[in-house]
Amino acid sequence: GIRASRPRRVAGYCDWVAAGGLEEGLSEVDTSQRDDPRDALCEAVMLGLRTSDGVRIFANEATAAGQDASACLAAIADALMPWAETGHAAVHLER
C-alpha cells in the first residue's frame, strides 16, 4: 500500500482537505515494499489502534509464521496492558 504524510500544520491540512485531499498535496509518499509479514502485522495493529474498529487479529500457530505472529501479538498485548488497566484499551489474548 501507499503511506502518505499529510500537511502537518492545521491551516495547511484544512487547505489540503478543502482542495479535495488530492495526492499532489501530500508532502511524502512511501511506496516501499513490506515483504516481512511482521511489518504487515504492525501496520494492521497501528491502523486498528487509530480507528474505532480496534485490532482483531488471529494467528494460526500450526505454522512457523503463525507462531511468529502469535509471539508478536502477545508482545503487543503486553505493551497495551497499562492502557487496558486505565480503561483506554481492551486486551483479549486467547491461546
Side-chain angles (χ1 to χ4, degrees):
I2 296 174
R3 302 297 301 212
S5 179
R6 284 142 183 84
R8 298 214 181 268
R9 297 184 186 269
V10 174
Y13 179 77
C14 290
D15 291 344
W16 177 73
V17 170
L22 302 174
E23 188 173 321
E24 58 264 11
L26 301 177
S27 55
E28 296 176 21
V29 176
D30 173 11
T31 58
S32 61
Q33 292 269 328
R34 288 175 173 70
D35 295 328
D36 189 330
R38 288 174 291 197
D39 290 339
L41 178 61
C42 287
E43 286 285 323
V45 169
M46 294 306 293
L47 178 61
L49 291 174
R50 291 189 308 262
T51 66
S52 62
D53 293 340
V55 179
R56 189 165 263 242
I57 301 174
F58 302 93
N60 178 358
E61 292 187 349
T63 66
Q67 291 170 2
D68 189 34
S70 182
C72 288
L73 291 172
I76 291 166
D78 287 343
L80 290 173
M81 289 313 292
W83 287 274
E85 291 168 359
T86 62
H88 293 94
V91 178
H92 305 283
L93 186 62
E94 299 177 18
R95 292 200 173 256

XYZ file of all heavy atoms in Angstrom:
697
model
N 0.808 -1.183 0.000
C 0.000 0.000 0.000
C 0.850 1.244 0.000
O 2.056 1.207 0.145
N 0.194 2.350 -0.169
C 0.864 3.639 -0.183
C 0.589 4.342 1.134
O -0.542 4.412 1.591
C 0.372 4.518 -1.355
C 0.737 3.869 -2.672
C 0.935 5.908 -1.260
C 0.174 4.582 -3.871
N 1.636 4.818 1.768
C 1.531 5.596 3.003
C 1.895 7.031 2.669
O 2.804 7.274 1.885
C 2.467 5.050 4.077
C 2.233 3.604 4.443
C 0.873 3.392 5.030
N 0.718 4.210 6.213
C -0.006 3.885 7.253
N -0.657 2.774 7.269
N -0.097 4.688 8.284
N 1.215 7.952 3.264
C 1.470 9.346 2.950
C 1.544 10.177 4.209
O 0.971 9.832 5.228
C 0.357 9.874 2.056
N 2.242 11.273 4.109
C 2.340 12.231 5.193
C 1.587 13.482 4.767
O 1.980 14.155 3.821
C 3.816 12.541 5.469
O 3.921 13.473 6.504
N 0.504 13.762 5.446
C -0.309 14.917 5.111
C 0.303 16.196 5.683
O 1.164 16.134 6.540
C -1.719 14.703 5.653
C -2.476 13.711 4.773
C -3.353 12.811 5.615
N -4.026 11.817 4.820
C -3.497 10.662 4.458
N -2.273 10.359 4.787
N -4.183 9.797 3.761
N -0.182 17.359 5.234
C 0.341 18.619 5.786
C 0.224 18.634 7.310
O -0.809 18.258 7.866
C -0.568 19.678 5.151
C -1.049 19.049 3.884
C -1.187 17.592 4.202
N 1.271 19.029 7.990
C 1.320 18.957 9.446
C 0.626 20.125 10.138
O 0.060 19.965 11.195
C 2.771 18.860 9.899
C 3.435 17.603 9.383
C 4.437 17.095 10.390
N 5.104 15.911 9.892
C 4.692 14.680 10.119
N 3.620 14.468 10.807
N 5.362 13.654 9.649
N 0.711 21.307 9.579
C 0.089 22.477 10.213
C -1.413 22.469 9.926
O -1.845 22.076 8.843
C 0.725 23.757 9.725
C 2.196 23.847 10.106
C 2.772 25.181 9.675
N 4.191 25.217 9.902
C 4.750 25.654 11.020
N 4.006 26.096 12.002
N 6.065 25.652 11.151
N -2.195 22.907 10.901
C -3.657 22.869 10.785
C -4.136 23.622 9.560
O -4.963 23.119 8.792
C -4.328 23.409 12.069
C -5.836 23.494 11.887
C -3.991 22.525 13.254
N -3.620 24.816 9.332
C -4.064 25.616 8.182
C -3.753 24.892 6.875
O -4.588 24.844 5.964
C -3.410 26.988 8.204
N -2.546 24.336 6.772
C -2.176 23.589 5.571
C -3.040 22.361 5.368
O -3.441 22.037 4.252
N -3.364 21.666 6.462
C -4.218 20.486 6.384
C -5.628 20.885 5.941
O -6.219 20.242 5.070
C -4.262 19.761 7.727
C -5.144 18.548 7.718
C -4.716 17.360 7.142
C -6.422 18.592 8.264
C -5.527 16.246 7.114
C -7.240 17.475 8.236
C -6.791 16.307 7.668
O -7.607 15.203 7.634
N -6.162 21.965 6.522
C -7.502 22.427 6.143
C -7.549 22.810 4.664
O -8.521 22.489 3.968
C -7.925 23.594 7.022
S -8.272 23.122 8.734
N -6.508 23.483 4.186
C -6.434 23.838 2.765
C -6.393 22.590 1.898
O -7.052 22.518 0.860
C -5.194 24.697 2.476
C -5.283 26.084 3.089
O -6.397 26.505 3.472
O -4.221 26.736 3.205
N -5.622 21.597 2.335
C -5.499 20.342 1.579
C -6.844 19.626 1.517
O -7.272 19.164 0.464
C -4.430 19.467 2.233
C -4.265 18.127 1.606
C -3.685 17.851 0.411
C -4.678 16.874 2.150
N -3.706 16.489 0.169
C -4.318 15.873 1.231
C -5.310 16.496 3.329
C -4.573 14.535 1.442
C -5.565 15.161 3.541
C -5.199 14.199 2.606
N -7.568 19.561 2.642
C -8.883 18.919 2.680
C -9.872 19.686 1.806
O -10.628 19.096 1.032
C -9.401 18.796 4.129
C -10.849 18.353 4.159
C -8.531 17.828 4.923
N -9.866 21.028 1.912
C -10.777 21.857 1.112
C -10.547 21.668 -0.382
O -11.479 21.759 -1.177
C -10.613 23.327 1.486
N -9.290 21.365 -0.757
C -8.960 21.138 -2.171
C -9.304 19.723 -2.616
O -9.071 19.353 -3.756
C -7.484 21.424 -2.419
N -9.856 18.925 -1.717
C -10.262 17.570 -2.085
C -9.302 16.491 -1.639
O -9.466 15.331 -1.988
N -8.283 16.844 -0.873
C -7.340 15.849 -0.375
C -6.581 15.141 -1.482
O -6.370 13.937 -1.434
N -6.199 15.914 -2.462
C -5.542 15.328 -3.632
C -4.141 14.831 -3.318
O -3.464 15.354 -2.438
C -5.483 16.356 -4.761
C -6.847 16.908 -5.194
C -6.661 18.016 -6.210
C -7.719 15.796 -5.737
N -3.702 13.831 -4.069
C -2.390 13.220 -3.849
C -1.255 14.223 -3.991
O -0.279 14.167 -3.245
C -2.188 12.053 -4.812
C -0.944 11.253 -4.536
C -0.846 10.006 -5.392
O -1.874 9.351 -5.617
O 0.271 9.714 -5.846
N -1.382 15.184 -4.917
C -0.286 16.131 -5.085
C -0.126 17.066 -3.885
O 0.875 17.730 -3.740
C -0.409 16.948 -6.378
C -1.685 17.742 -6.480
C -2.776 17.019 -7.271
O -2.633 15.833 -7.563
O -3.774 17.662 -7.574
N -1.085 17.080 -2.976
C -0.968 17.873 -1.768
C -0.228 17.171 -0.649
O 0.015 17.748 0.406
N 0.152 15.925 -0.877
C 0.847 15.159 0.145
C 2.319 15.536 0.158
O 2.929 15.757 -0.879
C 0.698 13.668 -0.113
C -0.742 13.156 -0.151
C -0.761 11.669 -0.488
C -1.442 13.416 1.152
N 2.890 15.603 1.358
C 4.287 16.006 1.449
C 5.248 14.855 1.202
O 6.368 15.075 0.806
C 4.572 16.665 2.805
O 4.197 15.814 3.855
N 4.831 13.628 1.439
C 5.683 12.465 1.172
C 4.794 11.287 0.799
O 3.697 11.151 1.311
C 6.479 12.066 2.411
C 7.469 13.087 2.884
C 8.141 12.656 4.182
O 8.142 11.463 4.493
O 8.651 13.535 4.867
N 5.281 10.434 -0.050
C 4.577 9.199 -0.362
C 5.576 8.064 -0.255
O 6.635 8.092 -0.865
C 3.943 9.226 -1.769
C 3.312 7.895 -2.089
C 2.911 10.339 -1.870
N 5.257 7.077 0.548
C 6.134 5.926 0.746
C 5.512 4.738 0.032
O 4.441 4.281 0.411
C 6.261 5.647 2.246
C 7.019 4.370 2.541
O 7.631 3.785 1.637
O 6.991 3.945 3.700
N 6.175 4.241 -0.984
C 5.672 3.078 -1.711
C 6.587 1.881 -1.520
O 6.597 0.957 -2.325
C 5.544 3.388 -3.218
O 6.825 3.782 -3.705
C 4.531 4.484 -3.471
N 7.369 1.890 -0.432
C 8.317 0.803 -0.220
C 7.594 -0.519 0.011
O 6.490 -0.563 0.543
C 9.224 1.121 0.978
O 8.454 1.251 2.150
N 8.234 -1.576 -0.388
C 7.688 -2.917 -0.205
C 7.738 -3.301 1.264
O 8.654 -2.938 1.974
C 8.514 -3.924 -1.007
C 8.392 -3.765 -2.487
C 7.278 -4.609 -3.043
O 6.993 -5.666 -2.523
N 6.646 -4.153 -4.095
N 6.768 -4.016 1.710
C 6.763 -4.538 3.066
C 6.668 -6.060 2.954
O 5.599 -6.621 3.061
C 5.604 -3.950 3.854
C 5.848 -2.488 4.187
C 4.664 -1.849 4.855
N 4.915 -0.507 5.319
C 5.097 0.551 4.550
N 5.107 0.427 3.254
N 5.302 1.748 5.064
N 7.829 -6.665 2.703
C 7.868 -8.097 2.455
C 7.810 -8.919 3.730
O 7.373 -10.058 3.718
C 9.125 -8.478 1.673
C 9.124 -7.879 0.275
O 8.026 -7.722 -0.289
O 10.203 -7.575 -0.237
N 8.262 -8.384 4.845
C 8.276 -9.120 6.100
C 6.857 -9.143 6.666
O 6.248 -8.095 6.864
C 9.231 -8.432 7.082
C 9.466 -9.254 8.341
O 8.554 -10.003 8.760
O 10.565 -9.147 8.900
N 6.297 -10.326 6.928
C 4.930 -10.408 7.460
C 4.755 -9.645 8.772
O 3.685 -9.159 9.076
C 4.698 -11.904 7.672
C 5.753 -12.605 6.923
C 6.881 -11.638 6.716
N 5.847 -9.503 9.537
C 5.737 -8.747 10.786
C 5.446 -7.281 10.511
O 4.767 -6.621 11.287
C 7.007 -8.921 11.614
C 7.103 -10.331 12.205
C 8.412 -10.523 12.879
N 9.451 -10.555 11.841
C 10.661 -11.018 12.006
N 11.046 -11.445 13.173
N 11.526 -11.042 11.026
N 5.953 -6.761 9.386
C 5.655 -5.376 9.025
C 4.159 -5.206 8.759
O 3.547 -4.236 9.201
C 6.454 -4.938 7.800
C 7.937 -4.779 8.089
O 8.304 -4.614 9.275
O 8.726 -4.820 7.133
N 3.584 -6.151 8.031
C 2.149 -6.095 7.748
C 1.345 -6.207 9.038
O 0.330 -5.523 9.215
C 1.761 -7.211 6.773
N 1.797 -7.054 9.948
C 1.118 -7.217 11.235
C 1.164 -5.911 12.018
O 0.147 -5.446 12.546
C 1.780 -8.345 12.032
C 1.239 -8.615 13.418
C -0.222 -9.026 13.365
C 2.071 -9.685 14.102
N 2.327 -5.275 12.064
C 2.459 -3.999 12.780
C 1.600 -2.920 12.135
O 0.982 -2.116 12.833
C 3.918 -3.573 12.844
S 4.876 -4.576 14.002
N 1.545 -2.896 10.802
C 0.689 -1.925 10.106
C -0.772 -2.128 10.490
O -1.490 -1.173 10.749
C 0.846 -2.070 8.587
C 2.128 -1.525 8.048
C 2.142 -0.006 8.001
O 1.112 0.621 7.709
O 3.214 0.554 8.274
N -1.221 -3.392 10.526
C -2.614 -3.683 10.886
C -2.910 -3.263 12.316
O -3.969 -2.706 12.611
C -2.900 -5.173 10.695
N -1.976 -3.508 13.222
C -2.155 -3.118 14.622
C -2.224 -1.602 14.744
O -3.126 -1.058 15.395
C -1.037 -3.707 15.513
C -1.068 -3.084 16.895
C -1.172 -5.209 15.601
N -1.294 -0.896 14.132
C -1.275 0.560 14.235
C -2.534 1.182 13.640
O -3.096 2.123 14.206
C -0.023 1.138 13.573
C 1.264 0.753 14.283
S 1.262 1.156 16.048
C 1.234 2.933 15.985
N -3.004 0.655 12.513
C -4.236 1.168 11.918
C -5.413 0.904 12.848
O -6.248 1.778 13.080
C -4.484 0.531 10.550
C -5.769 0.971 9.857
C -5.747 2.477 9.592
C -5.959 0.205 8.567
N -5.474 -0.292 13.408
C -6.562 -0.634 14.318
C -6.576 0.224 15.567
O -7.641 0.554 16.096
N -5.402 0.619 16.043
C -5.330 1.470 17.225
C -5.798 2.896 16.933
O -6.192 3.612 17.845
C -3.898 1.497 17.778
C -3.408 0.193 18.395
C -1.939 0.311 18.756
C -4.239 -0.191 19.612
N -5.767 3.279 15.658
C -6.184 4.637 15.290
C -7.649 4.716 14.884
O -8.149 5.799 14.597
C -5.320 5.160 14.141
C -3.892 5.433 14.543
C -3.119 6.151 13.449
N -3.182 5.524 12.159
C -2.252 4.716 11.646
N -1.181 4.432 12.344
N -2.381 4.209 10.447
N -8.343 3.603 14.809
C -9.741 3.610 14.371
C -10.628 2.987 15.433
O -10.165 2.297 16.339
C -9.914 2.810 13.061
O -9.630 1.428 13.313
C -9.002 3.335 11.961
N -11.928 3.224 15.304
C -12.871 2.647 16.262
C -13.052 1.145 16.038
O -13.637 0.472 16.880
C -14.227 3.354 16.161
O -14.774 3.175 14.871
N -12.546 0.621 14.917
C -12.655 -0.818 14.653
C -11.793 -1.634 15.607
O -12.085 -2.789 15.879
C -12.227 -1.143 13.215
C -13.183 -0.571 12.194
O -14.337 -0.275 12.553
O -12.777 -0.406 11.040
N -10.723 -1.037 16.105
C -9.826 -1.751 17.001
C -8.982 -2.766 16.258
O -8.886 -2.754 15.031
N -8.375 -3.646 17.014
C -7.476 -4.654 16.453
C -8.069 -6.024 16.714
O -8.354 -6.384 17.848
C -6.073 -4.566 17.109
C -5.147 -5.626 16.542
C -5.482 -3.177 16.930
N -8.251 -6.769 15.665
C -8.768 -8.117 15.786
C -7.967 -8.987 14.833
O -8.228 -9.020 13.636
C -10.241 -8.149 15.423
C -10.933 -9.431 15.703
C -12.413 -9.180 15.636
N -12.851 -8.987 16.989
C -13.730 -9.778 17.592
N -14.318 -10.721 16.928
N -14.045 -9.599 18.850
N -6.950 -9.658 15.360
C -6.048 -10.457 14.537
C -5.903 -11.833 15.170
O -5.762 -11.965 16.383
C -4.658 -9.794 14.426
C -4.796 -8.400 13.809
C -3.714 -10.654 13.602
C -3.508 -7.617 13.792
N -5.942 -12.839 14.336
C -5.784 -14.211 14.794
C -4.578 -14.830 14.101
O -4.337 -14.588 12.931
C -7.045 -15.028 14.467
C -8.282 -14.454 15.072
C -9.070 -13.569 14.366
C -8.642 -14.778 16.371
C -10.206 -13.018 14.925
C -9.778 -14.230 16.942
C -10.560 -13.351 16.220
N -3.821 -15.623 14.848
C -2.645 -16.285 14.286
C -2.825 -17.790 14.370
O -3.227 -18.323 15.392
C -1.397 -15.865 15.048
N -2.525 -18.469 13.274
C -2.585 -19.925 13.232
C -1.230 -20.468 13.700
O -0.251 -20.406 12.967
C -2.890 -20.389 11.808
C -2.906 -21.891 11.683
O -2.661 -22.616 12.643
N -3.205 -22.373 10.488
N -1.186 -20.974 14.923
C 0.090 -21.420 15.491
C 0.552 -22.764 14.935
O 1.573 -23.286 15.355
C -0.006 -21.461 17.007
C -0.143 -20.073 17.611
C -0.064 -20.073 19.120
O -0.118 -21.151 19.740
O 0.067 -18.977 19.682
N -0.165 -23.304 13.953
C 0.245 -24.561 13.346
C 1.407 -24.360 12.366
O 2.018 -25.320 11.933
C -0.933 -25.211 12.617
N 1.711 -23.127 12.040
C 2.808 -22.839 11.119
C 3.865 -21.999 11.829
O 3.587 -21.338 12.830
C 2.303 -22.055 9.890
O 1.861 -20.763 10.325
C 1.171 -22.777 9.187
N 5.071 -22.001 11.293
C 6.148 -21.191 11.880
C 5.797 -19.711 11.811
O 6.016 -18.966 12.765
C 7.462 -21.466 11.158
N 5.225 -19.267 10.675
C 4.830 -17.865 10.540
C 3.738 -17.528 11.553
O 3.733 -16.442 12.130
C 4.349 -17.576 9.127
N 2.828 -18.450 11.784
C 1.763 -18.233 12.763
C 2.311 -18.147 14.178
O 1.827 -17.359 14.993
N 3.316 -18.952 14.477
C 3.946 -18.893 15.801
C 4.647 -17.559 15.998
O 4.586 -16.961 17.076
C 4.922 -20.056 15.970
C 4.236 -21.401 16.068
C 5.194 -22.568 15.983
O 6.399 -22.393 15.894
N 4.654 -23.770 16.001
N 5.305 -17.079 14.945
C 5.970 -15.779 14.999
C 4.936 -14.672 15.192
O 5.111 -13.779 16.031
C 6.768 -15.549 13.714
C 7.653 -14.316 13.776
O 8.175 -14.003 14.866
O 7.830 -13.676 12.727
N 3.842 -14.734 14.443
C 2.779 -13.736 14.574
C 2.165 -13.783 15.965
O 1.886 -12.756 16.564
C 1.707 -13.961 13.508
N 1.979 -14.979 16.491
C 1.410 -15.132 17.826
C 2.317 -14.505 18.880
O 1.847 -13.822 19.806
C 1.189 -16.611 18.135
O 0.604 -16.765 19.409
N 3.625 -14.693 18.736
C 4.578 -14.084 19.676
C 4.532 -12.561 19.576
O 4.583 -11.870 20.594
C 5.983 -14.607 19.397
N 4.407 -12.040 18.353
C 4.304 -10.591 18.162
C 3.029 -10.058 18.807
O 3.045 -9.027 19.485
C 4.313 -10.232 16.678
S 5.914 -10.431 15.880
N 1.919 -10.759 18.621
C 0.650 -10.327 19.205
C 0.701 -10.356 20.731
O 0.164 -9.459 21.394
C -0.498 -11.196 18.691
C -0.845 -11.019 17.218
C -1.856 -12.069 16.786
C -1.376 -9.617 16.962
N 1.361 -11.357 21.293
C 1.499 -11.431 22.748
C 2.311 -10.246 23.264
O 1.970 -9.641 24.296
C 2.137 -12.753 23.156
N 3.369 -9.890 22.548
C 4.190 -8.739 22.949
C 3.390 -7.446 22.856
O 3.488 -6.573 23.729
C 5.448 -8.662 22.085
N 2.582 -7.317 21.815
C 1.736 -6.127 21.653
C 0.712 -6.062 22.787
O 0.485 -4.997 23.369
C 1.056 -6.136 20.273
C 2.101 -5.920 19.169
C -0.055 -5.092 20.196
C 1.610 -6.244 17.781
N 0.105 -7.193 23.115
C -0.870 -7.236 24.203
C -0.230 -6.820 25.521
O -0.804 -6.045 26.293
C -1.479 -8.632 24.312
N 0.977 -7.302 25.771
C 1.702 -6.912 26.993
C 1.963 -5.404 27.009
O 1.813 -4.760 28.043
C 3.029 -7.666 27.111
C 2.840 -9.133 27.474
O 1.745 -9.511 27.943
O 3.805 -9.901 27.282
N 2.348 -4.855 25.865
C 2.649 -3.425 25.789
C 1.401 -2.568 26.005
O 1.495 -1.444 26.494
C 3.284 -3.096 24.437
N 0.232 -3.107 25.666
C -1.016 -2.358 25.815
C -1.617 -2.449 27.211
O -2.572 -1.731 27.524
C -2.047 -2.838 24.788
C -1.763 -2.470 23.344
C -2.767 -3.151 22.426
C -1.798 -0.963 23.149
N -1.071 -3.300 28.071
C -1.664 -3.509 29.394
C -1.791 -2.229 30.226
O -2.820 -2.048 30.890
C -0.905 -4.593 30.162
C -1.137 -5.993 29.592
S -2.866 -6.413 29.262
C -3.509 -6.488 30.919
N -0.828 -1.311 30.227
C -1.029 -0.079 31.001
C -2.292 0.689 30.571
O -2.983 1.268 31.400
C 0.232 0.745 30.730
C 1.271 -0.287 30.403
C 0.529 -1.367 29.657
N -2.589 0.684 29.266
C -3.791 1.358 28.772
C -5.042 0.552 29.102
O -6.096 1.118 29.349
C -3.680 1.619 27.272
C -2.706 2.708 26.980
C -2.955 4.046 26.953
C -1.317 2.555 26.725
N -1.797 4.734 26.680
C -0.775 3.851 26.532
C -0.461 1.468 26.631
C 0.564 4.069 26.257
C 0.875 1.691 26.361
C 1.365 2.972 26.169
N -4.927 -0.762 29.110
C -6.071 -1.596 29.498
C -6.420 -1.374 30.963
O -7.595 -1.316 31.333
C -5.762 -3.066 29.229
N -5.397 -1.212 31.795
C -5.626 -1.010 33.227
C -6.316 0.315 33.519
O -7.024 0.437 34.510
C -4.292 -1.101 33.977
C -3.729 -2.510 33.976
C -2.285 -2.598 34.448
O -1.687 -1.544 34.770
O -1.757 -3.722 34.482
N -6.144 1.315 32.639
C -6.808 2.605 32.830
C -8.130 2.693 32.072
O -8.790 3.728 32.108
C -5.899 3.769 32.389
O -5.624 3.634 30.988
C -4.615 3.812 33.191
N -8.498 1.633 31.359
C -9.752 1.613 30.624
C -9.684 2.220 29.233
O -10.702 2.360 28.571
N -8.494 2.559 28.771
C -8.347 3.150 27.447
C -8.177 2.104 26.344
O -8.176 2.440 25.168
C -7.157 4.116 27.427
C -7.399 5.315 28.279
N -6.981 5.387 29.584
C -8.045 6.469 28.019
C -7.339 6.545 30.088
N -7.983 7.227 29.171
N -8.019 0.852 26.722
C -7.875 -0.237 25.752
C -8.460 -1.498 26.362
O -8.530 -1.629 27.586
C -6.410 -0.468 25.390
N -8.909 -2.385 25.519
C -9.365 -3.697 25.971
C -8.492 -4.725 25.281
O -8.340 -4.703 24.068
C -10.833 -3.915 25.610
N -7.888 -5.598 26.062
C -6.981 -6.602 25.520
C -7.535 -7.975 25.837
O -7.774 -8.310 26.988
C -5.564 -6.447 26.119
C -4.651 -7.530 25.594
C -5.001 -5.063 25.824
N -7.768 -8.748 24.785
C -8.225 -10.133 24.961
C -7.300 -11.012 24.133
O -7.359 -11.018 22.916
C -9.668 -10.289 24.454
C -10.613 -9.332 25.095
N -11.101 -9.502 26.366
C -11.155 -8.187 24.636
C -11.898 -8.499 26.669
N -11.939 -7.686 25.632
N -6.429 -11.717 24.790
C -5.466 -12.581 24.117
C -5.839 -14.019 24.430
O -5.774 -14.449 25.566
C -4.036 -12.276 24.565
C -2.916 -12.994 23.844
C -2.929 -12.607 22.361
C -1.588 -12.645 24.445
N -6.298 -14.726 23.403
C -6.677 -16.133 23.571
C -5.600 -17.024 23.004
O -5.022 -16.748 21.976
C -8.008 -16.403 22.861
C -9.142 -15.589 23.413
C -10.431 -15.812 22.639
O -10.531 -16.823 21.906
O -11.328 -14.979 22.760
N -5.339 -18.094 23.687
C -4.356 -19.061 23.196
C -5.013 -20.405 23.065
O -5.888 -20.770 23.713
C -3.180 -19.155 24.154
C -2.404 -17.859 24.130
C -1.019 -18.107 24.667
N -0.234 -16.926 24.500
C 0.685 -16.770 23.572
N 0.940 -17.725 22.724
N 1.370 -15.668 23.478
